[in-house]
Every structure is written in structure tokens, then in C-alpha cells.
Amino acid sequence: MLGCLFLRKLELRQLTKSIAFSFCFLIIFAASNLFAAIKIPNGLNQESRKEFLKQVGFSSAYKYLAQGYILGGHDGLELSSSVENIPFSKTNYLSQTPVNETDKVLQSIIIGKGLYQNVDFFFSFSPFLLQNQISSYGASLRYIFYEDEDRPFNLGFLFHGNGLNFSNLVGIQTTGMDLVMNYYLNYWTLYFGIGSARSLASFVGGSNG
């Protein structure tokens, strides 16, 4: 996991303005998803369902997106947004009848709050206003166990869980734990991580759905 982040810590008085900006930003990317029904491959057997989970299951995993410094030492909340691609087109061949589904874009908003010293809590969700065929929600707890005294660098564990629902046809729940290294300056963070995740999927409709 590797990413660069351009964020700033939000004071409470700035939160309303920032949320409005984030919604406007996400709507730009949501235009193609607003009224498009998702077509899930049908007639899936056990092996096909496993393959479907491999292709789109990672989209259900919680995505780490936060500043590297410990939020517990600051007032206010941290707000960020993400846009990611869900590769539905890679699952079309699994269907018993022809399906020509395209990839979808998932937009999420993440809110972070420091709980106590080196423990931070994050909550993420996908606004129903932007996409009514995909719902996503999740949470994570970050525990920083090492912070360098001379450099903007720390190490910590991230415990996370997330759920994803596609048109009430497929539900995926993912839990996991990561070891994350953060190197951060004022308005950006470079992070690396390694960990494991476990996904469970529920398909509605049996072999016909």
C-alpha cells in the first residue's frame, strides 16, 4: 500500500465548508453512476463466486487515507475523500447469460478523530446521494507504537473493517490488520504498509442470482 496525501487538519469551524467542497468534488466523478443499475453475473457456482470475490472483493477492504501524525494531540476532525475503480468488467465472463457491465467508480468520505494520545479512530462511508446502487461503510482504529523524536516518521497498527453492497445482490464484508509506516510533513504523507485481510461474500438468488 503506497500513497501520497494532500490534506490539512480541519478545525471545527471549517468542517461545514470542507464537507460542502468534498461533495461538490465527488459529484463530478459520480455523474456516470447516478442512475446506472449494476448487472451482476448470474448462474454463478461456488468457484465462479470465489473468482468474483477475487476480482471485486478488494474494493470492499478499508483503504487507509489519513495524515501520518497522531490526531490525538490535535483539536477538531480530519476529513478526506477518495475515488476508486471497481473492475466489474473483469467479471462479465463468469455469467451464464451475456453481461456487458462496465467498471464503476466508488466515492467515499473518511472522517478521523483522535481518541487518546496515540490512538485514532476513522469512519468511512459512501454517500447515498452520489450512488444508489453501491453502498459502502467502514471503520478503523490506528495505534501508533513508535514515533521518531528527530524525524516526522512513525509506525503503527491499523485494525479495520468494511462492508460493501451491490444493488442488494452481493454483500461483501472485509476485516484486516496492517502494519503501517508513515513519513509526513505539513500537507502530505507518504506511507507504506503490509498486512492481511479476510473477505466474506453473500450472494442473493442462489445459482440464478
Side-chain angles (χ1 to χ4, degrees):
M1 178 171 53
L2 169 64
C4 293
L5 187 61
F6 295 88
L7 293 175
R8 60 177 300 176
K9 180 172 66 70
L10 300 175
E11 302 295 337
L12 289 175
R13 62 178 178 273
Q14 298 173 305
L15 185 58
T16 302
K17 231 181 251 190
S18 300
I19 291 177
F21 174 80
S22 295
F23 269 92
C24 291
F25 172 77
L26 292 177
I27 286 175
I28 296 175
F29 293 93
S32 62
N33 286 349
L34 284 173
F35 304 104
I38 297 177
K39 299 177 182 178
I40 302 296
N42 56 61
L44 299 179
N45 55 32
Q46 184 175 3
E47 292 303 316
S48 297
R49 294 180 185 183
K50 289 181 180 180
E51 186 62 28
F52 180 90
L53 185 58
K54 289 179 181 179
Q55 296 293 344
V56 305
F58 183 70
S59 300
S60 70
Y62 182 88
K63 306 303 188 300
Y64 179 57
L65 185 65
Q67 285 281 23
Y69 58 74
I70 300 172
L71 300 179
H74 302 274
D75 296 327
L77 302 172
E78 180 183 272
L79 178 68
S80 56
S81 60
S82 68
V83 178
E84 60 182 296
N85 182 69
I86 302 180
F88 280 107
S89 61
K90 294 183 178 180
T91 67
N92 290 335
Y93 76 96
L94 297 173
S95 181
Q96 295 293 326
T97 59
V99 172
N100 187 26
E101 185 58 271
T102 59
D103 294 350
K104 299 298 181 181
V105 174
L106 176 65
Q107 306 89 25
S108 299
I109 291 177
I110 303 99
I111 300 174
K113 175 64 178 175
L115 296 182
Y116 178 75
Q117 293 183 352
N118 57 345
V119 178
D120 302 323
F121 176 77
F122 300 91
F123 172 73
S124 68
F125 66 97
S126 179
F128 187 78
L129 174 65
L130 300 182
Q131 50 210 6
N132 54 18
Q133 299 297 327
I134 304 176
S135 62
S136 175
Y137 54 91
S140 68
L141 191 70
R142 181 177 66 179
Y143 169 67
I144 302 296
F145 63 85
Y146 172 77
E147 186 169 20
D148 196 285
E149 297 181 356
D150 301 319
R151 293 169 293 181
F153 166 81
N154 61 42
L155 286 170
F157 287 110
L158 185 74
F159 306 92
H160 55 86
N162 204 71
L164 201 61
N165 183 287
F166 301 128
S167 299
N168 291 326
L169 296 175
V170 180
I172 305 175
Q173 298 80 40
T174 302
T175 56
M177 181 183 74
D178 298 321
L179 174 64
V180 180
M181 179 191 75
N182 301 283
Y183 183 84
Y184 56 92
L185 293 177
N186 288 334
Y187 298 106
W188 65 272
T189 297
L190 177 66
Y191 46 84
F192 299 88
I194 185 171
S196 62
R198 180 173 182 262
S199 294
L200 297 175
S202 300
F203 292 80
V204 178
S207 60
N208 298 318

Short mmCIF file of all heavy atoms in Angstrom, two decimals, residues 41-83:
data_model
loop_
_atom_site.label_atom_id
_atom_site.label_comp_id
_atom_site.label_asym_id
_atom_site.label_seq_id
_atom_site.Cartn_x
_atom_site.Cartn_y
_atom_site.Cartn_z
N PRO A 41 -23.04 -10.86 -12.65
CA PRO A 41 -23.08 -12.14 -13.38
C PRO A 41 -24.06 -13.11 -12.72
O PRO A 41 -24.14 -13.18 -11.49
CB PRO A 41 -21.64 -12.65 -13.28
CG PRO A 41 -20.82 -11.42 -13.12
CD PRO A 41 -21.66 -10.47 -12.31
N ASN A 42 -24.84 -13.84 -13.51
CA ASN A 42 -25.82 -14.77 -12.97
C ASN A 42 -25.39 -16.21 -13.21
O ASN A 42 -24.48 -16.49 -13.99
CB ASN A 42 -27.20 -14.51 -13.58
CG ASN A 42 -27.17 -14.56 -15.09
OD1 ASN A 42 -26.84 -15.58 -15.68
ND2 ASN A 42 -27.51 -13.45 -15.73
N GLY A 43 -26.07 -17.11 -12.50
CA GLY A 43 -25.76 -18.53 -12.64
C GLY A 43 -24.40 -18.90 -12.09
O GLY A 43 -23.76 -19.83 -12.60
N LEU A 44 -23.96 -18.24 -11.06
CA LEU A 44 -22.61 -18.49 -10.52
C LEU A 44 -22.59 -19.74 -9.65
O LEU A 44 -23.43 -19.90 -8.77
CB LEU A 44 -22.16 -17.28 -9.69
CG LEU A 44 -22.04 -15.92 -10.40
CD1 LEU A 44 -21.62 -14.84 -9.42
CD2 LEU A 44 -21.07 -16.01 -11.55
N ASN A 45 -21.62 -20.58 -9.88
CA ASN A 45 -21.40 -21.71 -8.99
C ASN A 45 -20.38 -21.30 -7.91
O ASN A 45 -19.96 -20.15 -7.85
CB ASN A 45 -20.93 -22.95 -9.75
CG ASN A 45 -19.68 -22.67 -10.58
OD1 ASN A 45 -18.83 -21.86 -10.21
ND2 ASN A 45 -19.55 -23.36 -11.71
N GLN A 46 -19.98 -22.24 -7.10
CA GLN A 46 -19.09 -21.90 -5.99
C GLN A 46 -17.75 -21.34 -6.47
O GLN A 46 -17.25 -20.35 -5.93
CB GLN A 46 -18.86 -23.13 -5.12
CG GLN A 46 -18.02 -22.84 -3.87
CD GLN A 46 -17.90 -24.05 -2.96
OE1 GLN A 46 -18.40 -25.13 -3.28
NE2 GLN A 46 -17.25 -23.88 -1.84
N GLU A 47 -17.17 -21.95 -7.49
CA GLU A 47 -15.88 -21.49 -7.99
C GLU A 47 -16.00 -20.11 -8.65
O GLU A 47 -15.11 -19.27 -8.51
CB GLU A 47 -15.31 -22.50 -8.99
CG GLU A 47 -14.89 -23.82 -8.36
CD GLU A 47 -13.88 -23.62 -7.24
OE1 GLU A 47 -12.93 -22.82 -7.43
OE2 GLU A 47 -14.03 -24.26 -6.19
N SER A 48 -17.12 -19.89 -9.36
CA SER A 48 -17.33 -18.59 -10.00
C SER A 48 -17.50 -17.49 -8.96
O SER A 48 -17.05 -16.36 -9.15
CB SER A 48 -18.56 -18.65 -10.91
OG SER A 48 -18.37 -19.57 -11.97
N ARG A 49 -18.16 -17.83 -7.87
CA ARG A 49 -18.33 -16.83 -6.80
C ARG A 49 -16.99 -16.48 -6.17
O ARG A 49 -16.74 -15.32 -5.84
CB ARG A 49 -19.29 -17.37 -5.75
CG ARG A 49 -20.70 -17.55 -6.26
CD ARG A 49 -21.63 -18.08 -5.18
NE ARG A 49 -22.96 -18.35 -5.73
CZ ARG A 49 -23.98 -18.77 -5.01
NH1 ARG A 49 -23.84 -18.96 -3.70
NH2 ARG A 49 -25.15 -18.98 -5.58
N LYS A 50 -16.13 -17.47 -6.00
CA LYS A 50 -14.80 -17.20 -5.46
C LYS A 50 -14.02 -16.28 -6.40
O LYS A 50 -13.32 -15.37 -5.95
CB LYS A 50 -14.05 -18.51 -5.25
CG LYS A 50 -14.57 -19.36 -4.10
CD LYS A 50 -13.73 -20.63 -3.96
CE LYS A 50 -14.24 -21.49 -2.81
NZ LYS A 50 -13.45 -22.74 -2.65
N GLU A 51 -14.15 -16.53 -7.69
CA GLU A 51 -13.44 -15.70 -8.67
C GLU A 51 -14.00 -14.28 -8.67
O GLU A 51 -13.25 -13.30 -8.78
CB GLU A 51 -13.57 -16.32 -10.06
CG GLU A 51 -12.76 -15.61 -11.14
CD GLU A 51 -11.26 -15.64 -10.86
OE1 GLU A 51 -10.80 -16.59 -10.19
OE2 GLU A 51 -10.57 -14.71 -11.31
N PHE A 52 -15.31 -14.15 -8.56
CA PHE A 52 -15.94 -12.82 -8.47
C PHE A 52 -15.41 -12.06 -7.26
O PHE A 52 -15.09 -10.87 -7.34
CB PHE A 52 -17.46 -12.98 -8.38
CG PHE A 52 -18.21 -11.67 -8.30
CD1 PHE A 52 -18.63 -11.03 -9.45
CD2 PHE A 52 -18.47 -11.09 -7.06
CE1 PHE A 52 -19.32 -9.83 -9.38
CE2 PHE A 52 -19.14 -9.88 -6.98
CZ PHE A 52 -19.59 -9.25 -8.15
N LEU A 53 -15.29 -12.77 -6.15
CA LEU A 53 -14.79 -12.14 -4.92
C LEU A 53 -13.34 -11.71 -5.09
O LEU A 53 -12.94 -10.65 -4.58
CB LEU A 53 -14.93 -13.11 -3.76
CG LEU A 53 -14.57 -12.59 -2.36
CD1 LEU A 53 -15.42 -11.38 -2.01
CD2 LEU A 53 -14.73 -13.67 -1.31
N LYS A 54 -12.53 -12.50 -5.80
CA LYS A 54 -11.14 -12.13 -6.03
C LYS A 54 -11.03 -10.85 -6.86
O LYS A 54 -10.16 -10.01 -6.62
CB LYS A 54 -10.40 -13.27 -6.76
CG LYS A 54 -10.13 -14.49 -5.91
CD LYS A 54 -9.41 -15.56 -6.72
CE LYS A 54 -9.16 -16.82 -5.90
NZ LYS A 54 -8.48 -17.86 -6.71
N GLN A 55 -11.93 -10.71 -7.85
CA GLN A 55 -11.85 -9.58 -8.76
C GLN A 55 -12.33 -8.27 -8.12
O GLN A 55 -11.69 -7.23 -8.28
CB GLN A 55 -12.67 -9.85 -10.03
CG GLN A 55 -12.15 -11.01 -10.87
CD GLN A 55 -10.79 -10.71 -11.49
OE1 GLN A 55 -10.35 -9.58 -11.57
NE2 GLN A 55 -10.13 -11.76 -11.95
N VAL A 56 -13.44 -8.31 -7.40
CA VAL A 56 -14.01 -7.07 -6.87
C VAL A 56 -13.94 -7.00 -5.33
O VAL A 56 -14.27 -5.97 -4.75
CB VAL A 56 -15.47 -6.88 -7.32
CG1 VAL A 56 -15.57 -6.93 -8.82
CG2 VAL A 56 -16.38 -7.94 -6.70
N GLY A 57 -13.52 -8.09 -4.70
CA GLY A 57 -13.52 -8.13 -3.24
C GLY A 57 -12.60 -7.12 -2.60
O GLY A 57 -12.90 -6.59 -1.53
N PHE A 58 -11.46 -6.84 -3.24
CA PHE A 58 -10.53 -5.90 -2.64
C PHE A 58 -11.14 -4.51 -2.51
O PHE A 58 -10.74 -3.72 -1.66
CB PHE A 58 -9.25 -5.82 -3.47
CG PHE A 58 -8.20 -4.92 -2.87
CD1 PHE A 58 -7.54 -5.27 -1.71
CD2 PHE A 58 -7.92 -3.70 -3.47
CE1 PHE A 58 -6.59 -4.42 -1.16
CE2 PHE A 58 -6.97 -2.86 -2.93
CZ PHE A 58 -6.30 -3.22 -1.77
N SER A 59 -12.13 -4.22 -3.37
CA SER A 59 -12.80 -2.92 -3.27
C SER A 59 -13.55 -2.77 -1.95
O SER A 59 -13.85 -1.65 -1.53
CB SER A 59 -13.77 -2.75 -4.44
OG SER A 59 -13.10 -2.81 -5.67
N SER A 60 -13.86 -3.90 -1.32
CA SER A 60 -14.58 -3.83 -0.04
C SER A 60 -13.65 -3.61 1.13
O SER A 60 -14.10 -3.34 2.25
CB SER A 60 -15.38 -5.12 0.18
OG SER A 60 -14.49 -6.21 0.45
N ALA A 61 -12.35 -3.74 0.91
CA ALA A 61 -11.40 -3.57 2.01
C ALA A 61 -11.27 -2.09 2.36
O ALA A 61 -11.37 -1.21 1.50
CB ALA A 61 -10.03 -4.13 1.63
N TYR A 62 -11.03 -1.82 3.62
CA TYR A 62 -10.85 -0.44 4.07
C TYR A 62 -9.55 0.11 3.49
O TYR A 62 -8.52 -0.53 3.51
CB TYR A 62 -10.80 -0.39 5.60
CG TYR A 62 -10.66 1.01 6.16
CD1 TYR A 62 -11.80 1.77 6.41
CD2 TYR A 62 -9.42 1.57 6.40
CE1 TYR A 62 -11.69 3.05 6.92
CE2 TYR A 62 -9.30 2.86 6.89
CZ TYR A 62 -10.44 3.59 7.15
OH TYR A 62 -10.31 4.87 7.64
N LYS A 63 -9.62 1.34 2.94
CA LYS A 63 -8.45 1.98 2.36
C LYS A 63 -7.90 3.02 3.34
O LYS A 63 -8.62 3.92 3.76
CB LYS A 63 -8.80 2.65 1.03
CG LYS A 63 -9.46 1.73 0.01
CD LYS A 63 -8.61 0.51 -0.31
CE LYS A 63 -9.18 -0.30 -1.45
NZ LYS A 63 -10.55 -0.80 -1.19
N TYR A 64 -6.65 2.85 3.70
CA TYR A 64 -6.02 3.78 4.64
C TYR A 64 -5.76 5.12 3.96
O TYR A 64 -5.05 5.20 2.96
CB TYR A 64 -4.70 3.18 5.13
CG TYR A 64 -3.93 4.06 6.09
CD1 TYR A 64 -4.51 4.50 7.27
CD2 TYR A 64 -2.62 4.43 5.81
CE1 TYR A 64 -3.81 5.29 8.16
CE2 TYR A 64 -1.90 5.22 6.69
CZ TYR A 64 -2.50 5.65 7.86
OH TYR A 64 -1.79 6.44 8.74
N LEU A 65 -6.37 6.18 4.47
CA LEU A 65 -6.23 7.51 3.92
C LEU A 65 -6.27 8.51 5.07
O LEU A 65 -7.34 8.86 5.56
CB LEU A 65 -7.35 7.80 2.92
CG LEU A 65 -7.27 9.12 2.15
CD1 LEU A 65 -6.05 9.13 1.24
CD2 LEU A 65 -8.53 9.36 1.35
N ALA A 66 -5.09 8.94 5.52
CA ALA A 66 -5.03 9.82 6.68
C ALA A 66 -3.66 10.49 6.75
O ALA A 66 -2.69 10.01 6.16
CB ALA A 66 -5.29 9.04 7.97
N GLN A 67 -3.60 11.57 7.47
CA GLN A 67 -2.32 12.19 7.76
C GLN A 67 -1.52 11.27 8.67
O GLN A 67 -2.07 10.50 9.44
CB GLN A 67 -2.52 13.54 8.45
CG GLN A 67 -2.98 14.64 7.50
CD GLN A 67 -1.83 15.20 6.67
OE1 GLN A 67 -0.81 14.55 6.48
NE2 GLN A 67 -2.00 16.41 6.16
N GLY A 68 -0.19 11.37 8.56
CA GLY A 68 0.65 10.47 9.34
C GLY A 68 0.78 10.83 10.80
O GLY A 68 1.04 9.96 11.63
N TYR A 69 0.58 12.11 11.13
CA TYR A 69 0.77 12.48 12.54
C TYR A 69 -0.41 12.01 13.39
O TYR A 69 -1.50 11.75 12.89
CB TYR A 69 0.97 13.99 12.69
CG TYR A 69 -0.15 14.84 12.14
CD1 TYR A 69 -1.38 14.97 12.79
CD2 TYR A 69 0.02 15.55 10.96
CE1 TYR A 69 -2.38 15.76 12.30
CE2 TYR A 69 -0.97 16.36 10.45
CZ TYR A 69 -2.18 16.45 11.12
OH TYR A 69 -3.18 17.24 10.62
N ILE A 70 -0.17 11.91 14.67
CA ILE A 70 -1.19 11.41 15.60
C ILE A 70 -2.27 12.46 15.80
O ILE A 70 -1.98 13.60 16.19
CB ILE A 70 -0.54 11.02 16.94
CG1 ILE A 70 0.50 9.93 16.72
CG2 ILE A 70 -1.61 10.55 17.92
CD1 ILE A 70 1.32 9.62 17.95
N LEU A 71 -3.53 12.11 15.56
CA LEU A 71 -4.62 13.06 15.70
C LEU A 71 -4.97 13.34 17.16
O LEU A 71 -5.58 14.35 17.47
CB LEU A 71 -5.86 12.54 14.97
CG LEU A 71 -5.72 12.31 13.46
CD1 LEU A 71 -7.03 11.77 12.90
CD2 LEU A 71 -5.31 13.57 12.75
N GLY A 72 -4.58 12.42 18.04
CA GLY A 72 -4.91 12.59 19.45
C GLY A 72 -4.33 13.84 20.07
O GLY A 72 -4.79 14.30 21.11
N GLY A 73 -3.32 14.42 19.45
CA GLY A 73 -2.72 15.63 20.00
C GLY A 73 -3.26 16.91 19.39
O GLY A 73 -2.71 17.99 19.62
N HIS A 74 -4.34 16.82 18.61
CA HIS A 74 -4.88 17.99 17.92
C HIS A 74 -6.39 18.09 18.13
O HIS A 74 -7.08 17.10 18.34
CB HIS A 74 -4.58 17.91 16.43
CG HIS A 74 -3.12 17.80 16.11
ND1 HIS A 74 -2.31 18.89 15.99
CD2 HIS A 74 -2.34 16.72 15.89
CE1 HIS A 74 -1.08 18.50 15.71
NE2 HIS A 74 -1.07 17.18 15.64
N ASP A 75 -6.90 19.33 18.05
CA ASP A 75 -8.34 19.56 18.13
C ASP A 75 -8.98 19.34 16.77
O ASP A 75 -8.31 19.28 15.74
CB ASP A 75 -8.63 20.99 18.59
CG ASP A 75 -8.12 21.23 20.01
OD1 ASP A 75 -8.15 20.27 20.80
OD2 ASP A 75 -7.72 22.38 20.30
N GLY A 76 -10.30 19.28 16.75
CA GLY A 76 -11.04 19.19 15.50
C GLY A 76 -11.04 17.80 14.90
O GLY A 76 -10.71 16.80 15.54
N LEU A 77 -11.46 17.73 13.63
CA LEU A 77 -11.59 16.48 12.90
C LEU A 77 -10.73 16.53 11.64
O LEU A 77 -10.37 17.60 11.16
CB LEU A 77 -13.05 16.24 12.49
CG LEU A 77 -14.09 16.20 13.61
CD1 LEU A 77 -15.49 16.14 13.00
CD2 LEU A 77 -13.86 15.01 14.52
N GLU A 78 -10.43 15.35 11.11
CA GLU A 78 -9.77 15.25 9.82
C GLU A 78 -10.77 14.72 8.80
O GLU A 78 -11.47 13.75 9.05
CB GLU A 78 -8.56 14.31 9.91
CG GLU A 78 -7.82 14.16 8.59
CD GLU A 78 -6.67 13.18 8.68
OE1 GLU A 78 -5.56 13.59 9.04
OE2 GLU A 78 -6.91 11.99 8.40
N LEU A 79 -10.85 15.38 7.67
CA LEU A 79 -11.80 15.00 6.63
C LEU A 79 -11.04 14.75 5.33
O LEU A 79 -10.20 15.56 4.92
CB LEU A 79 -12.83 16.11 6.41
CG LEU A 79 -13.87 15.87 5.31
CD1 LEU A 79 -14.80 14.74 5.71
CD2 LEU A 79 -14.64 17.15 5.03
N SER A 80 -11.32 13.63 4.67
CA SER A 80 -10.69 13.31 3.40
C SER A 80 -11.71 12.60 2.51
O SER A 80 -12.75 12.15 2.98
CB SER A 80 -9.44 12.45 3.60
OG SER A 80 -9.75 11.27 4.32
N SER A 81 -11.41 12.52 1.23
CA SER A 81 -12.28 11.83 0.28
C SER A 81 -11.44 10.97 -0.65
O SER A 81 -10.27 11.26 -0.88
CB SER A 81 -13.11 12.84 -0.53
OG SER A 81 -12.25 13.70 -1.27
N SER A 82 -12.04 9.92 -1.17
CA SER A 82 -11.32 9.01 -2.06
C SER A 82 -12.21 8.62 -3.24
O SER A 82 -13.45 8.62 -3.13
CB SER A 82 -10.88 7.75 -1.30
OG SER A 82 -12.00 6.98 -0.92
N VAL A 83 -11.58 8.29 -4.34
CA VAL A 83 -12.26 7.80 -5.53
C VAL A 83 -11.51 6.58 -6.00
O VAL A 83 -10.29 6.62 -6.17
CB VAL A 83 -12.29 8.87 -6.64
CG1 VAL A 83 -12.97 8.32 -7.89
CG2 VAL A 83 -12.99 10.14 -6.17
#
